[in-house]
Amino acid sequence: KALTIFSLTAMLALVGLHAEEVDLEKIAGELVQAETDYGKLALEKGFRAASIHVFADDGIMFAPGPVNGTKYWQKQTEEPLLIWRPAFATVARTGELGYTTGPWELKKARDDAKAQAFGQYVTIWKKGADGAWKVVVDVGVEHSQPMEQPGEVETFLPEFHIFQPESAREKLETAERTFAELLSTDAGAAVIAKASDDVRILRRGVSPAIGKTAAHLMLSSDHGKTKRIRAGGDISRSNDLAYSYGEYSTERTNVTEQGIYLSIWQLDLNTDWRLVLDLQKRAAK
């Protein structure tokens, strides 16, 4: 009898897990389309109106610290002319959380041949009960004009067939705690130690480093001592994609740098949490 009850419980659990199985390729395409539509709406209606339309009620942007995006844009009378496109996108195994990143440029007028500024954005999206994607975090960094534009949008689809156990959350807490300890002694080494092979590193004034080798070249000389203060974050229902954001300060030879950060973590096939994107944006002087 006990065995029968155990088998029935296990079967019901599996049914629930497989009910979460989704067409990730289709959902990733929907996410890319949501980002593309955001950019089109910004050109048609203005960046302010487009942002109010796509931000979740509790969506966050940075001005310069984390603030409610909808409330921020409702108060603005001037708005930038931003043009951007996704270059990379991924989603959680359950398909309700994902992010896109890619280049942006700022122009005075739509028909201007040259842009005034360039950079990279990161947008984290969450799908609501109505099936619509909404922005929960939006942030970007500035850098010099890129040498070349990216090609087709690259997507990453997680290979897990069912969502991960609750213990994955405990492992994330451990990974973040260890990461914080490493940051406090050597910031560059900390990021490299936790980075995935395909990590994306975004820093103000520097072109993005994509991949662990590029990350090492960017960060290996950064031995600053960094403290990050978490302001918020979330994790997917499948416990395989998570993010946190907040403010940071770094000490380097008696000089203090301050700004904001965003870290995105993804569970790998070994069920280890790895940094897939790490952004620090130092405060403007």
Side-chain angles (χ1 to χ4, degrees):
K1 184 176 180 180
L3 181 60
T4 302
I5 293 174
F6 175 81
S7 300
L8 178 60
T9 302
M11 182 182 69
L12 291 174
L14 286 172
V15 169
L17 290 171
H18 285 291
E20 292 283 352
E21 295 290 333
V22 294
D23 185 341
L24 290 179
E25 185 173 358
K26 177 182 178 182
I27 289 179
E30 293 172 352
L31 178 59
V32 170
Q33 190 61 53
E35 184 69 74
T36 303
D37 290 345
Y38 182 13
K40 289 180 179 178
L41 187 62
L43 288 176
E44 295 171 1
K45 304 292 185 181
F47 190 71
R48 174 181 177 273
S51 297
I52 292 172
H53 178 72
V54 303
F55 263 78
D57 291 342
D58 57 352
I60 295 295
M61 59 168 288
F62 297 82
V67 297
N68 182 281
T70 301
K71 292 179 180 179
Y72 174 86
W73 283 113
Q74 287 173 338
K75 296 177 181 178
Q76 300 308 302
T77 56
E78 297 183 4
E79 55 186 323
L81 178 54
L82 280 173
I83 300 171
W84 71 93
R85 53 160 295 185
F88 176 83
T90 189
V91 293
R93 189 62 188 83
T94 34
E96 91 289 358
L97 186 70
Y99 72 91
T100 62
T101 183
W104 61 260
E105 56 184 48
L106 175 69
K107 291 187 175 183
K108 279 188 176 180
R110 188 182 305 182
D111 297 330
D112 283 357
K114 294 184 178 180
Q116 291 182 301
F118 303 87
Q120 290 279 316
Y121 78 88
V122 182
T123 306
I124 301 178
W125 297 79
K126 193 169 187 177
K127 184 180 288 189
D130 60 354
W133 286 100
K134 292 290 185 180
V135 174
V136 290
V137 178
D138 189 49
V139 64
V141 296
E142 307 87 7
H143 57 67
S144 59
Q145 183 174 358
M147 298 297 292
E148 58 184 30
Q149 292 296 317
E152 296 296 319
V153 181
E154 179 186 355
T155 59
F156 173 79
L157 306 180
E159 298 180 27
F160 299 114
H161 296 296
I162 58 177
F163 59 131
Q164 300 303 304
E166 191 68 21
S167 61
R169 291 176 179 249
E170 297 173 3
K171 293 186 71 171
L172 175 61
E173 292 176 2
T174 300
E176 290 186 314
R177 184 167 57 250
T178 303
F179 184 45
E181 293 170 355
L182 293 171
L183 284 170
S184 68
T185 59
D186 190 318
V191 175
I192 294 168
K194 293 296 183 180
S196 69
D197 291 339
D198 301 318
V199 69
R200 280 173 157 76
I201 307 297
L202 277 63
R203 298 292 187 264
R204 189 171 197 162
V206 184
S207 295
I210 302 176
K212 203 164 185 177
T213 300
H216 189 274
L217 291 173
M218 178 192 283
L219 300 173
S220 59
S221 61
D222 181 6
H223 304 297
K225 303 180 187 304
T226 296
K227 179 181 180 180
R228 292 183 174 183
I229 301 175
R230 192 179 194 271
D234 199 3
I235 187 170
S236 64
R237 291 200 313 270
S238 43
N239 297 328
D240 67 327
L241 185 65
Y243 67 90
S244 65
Y245 61 85
E247 299 179 347
Y248 80 91
S249 62
T250 299
E251 298 288 340
R252 298 187 186 91
T253 59
N254 299 321
V255 176
T256 301
E257 174 186 305
Q258 296 179 318
I260 58 95
Y261 80 89
L262 170 68
S263 292
I264 303 179
W265 298 80
Q266 198 158 33
L267 206 64
D268 66 16
L269 288 174
N270 295 319
T271 67
D272 291 325
W273 285 98
R274 292 292 177 186
L275 274 174
V276 291
L277 187 145
D278 192 74
L279 177 150
Q280 277 190 184
K281 182 177 182 179
R282 70 176 184 273
K285 296 181 180 179

